[in-house]
Amino acid sequence: MAKLSKEQIIESLKEMSMLEISDLVKAVEETFGVSAAAPVAAVAAQVVEAPTSVTISLADAGANKVAIIKLLREATGLGLMEAKTAVEKGGAIIKENIKPEEANEIKKTFEASGAKVKIE
């Protein structure tokens, strides 16, 4: 039997009814011992697990505390003394309930200045 290309298979599927395609899927599952539903369920589970909002916090200010205080003030709107205390104390929340993309940008900025941050 000649090997069919993907395009040929797709063209033949276009000519089949949904009942015929369903029978074909069942036959492929039985022949090869696979399930067409399993990968779909795994992908759906991954989509559900992706967080829609995160919290980014300062884990360690590093050696350049002055730069981190400035960054923290810009990100949070804190006053100088509040930001200084938060940096020295550690664990300060930089922003809450933000998109993961925004958190990654903030993380890059803080890490470029020597700080360590964590996203939860």
Side-chain angles (χ1 to χ4, degrees):
M1 179 176 201
K3 184 175 178 182
L4 299 174
S5 69
K6 287 188 273 185
E7 291 79 20
Q8 290 171 323
I9 294 171
I10 291 171
E11 286 304 316
S12 66
L13 287 173
K14 287 179 182 178
E15 296 174 7
M16 292 180 166
S17 70
M18 290 308 291
L19 184 57
E20 291 172 321
I21 292 173
S22 176
D23 290 340
L24 176 63
V25 170
K26 288 177 187 173
V28 169
E29 288 177 340
E30 290 173 9
T31 303
F32 296 105
V34 296
S35 173
V40 174
V43 170
Q46 290 175 349
V47 170
V48 171
E49 292 175 13
T52 57
S53 65
V54 295
T55 299
I56 184 167
S57 59
L58 184 64
D60 181 27
N64 194 0
K65 289 185 180 180
V66 174
I68 303 306
I69 292 170
K70 288 179 182 179
L71 288 173
L72 187 62
R73 289 187 67 205
E74 289 174 15
T76 61
L78 290 174
L80 178 61
M81 291 307 295
E82 292 100 354
K84 181 179 182 277
T85 303
V87 167
E88 289 174 350
K89 185 178 172 185
I93 293 176
I94 299 169
K95 286 204 174 188
E96 293 180 295
N97 300 321
I98 59 174
K99 293 183 179 179
E101 297 82 17
E102 183 182 355
N104 286 327
E105 290 300 317
I106 293 170
K107 180 179 179 179
K108 287 178 189 176
T109 305
F110 274 79
E111 287 182 344
S113 295
K116 293 181 184 174
V117 297
K118 62 181 179 179
I119 298 174
E120 300 172 339

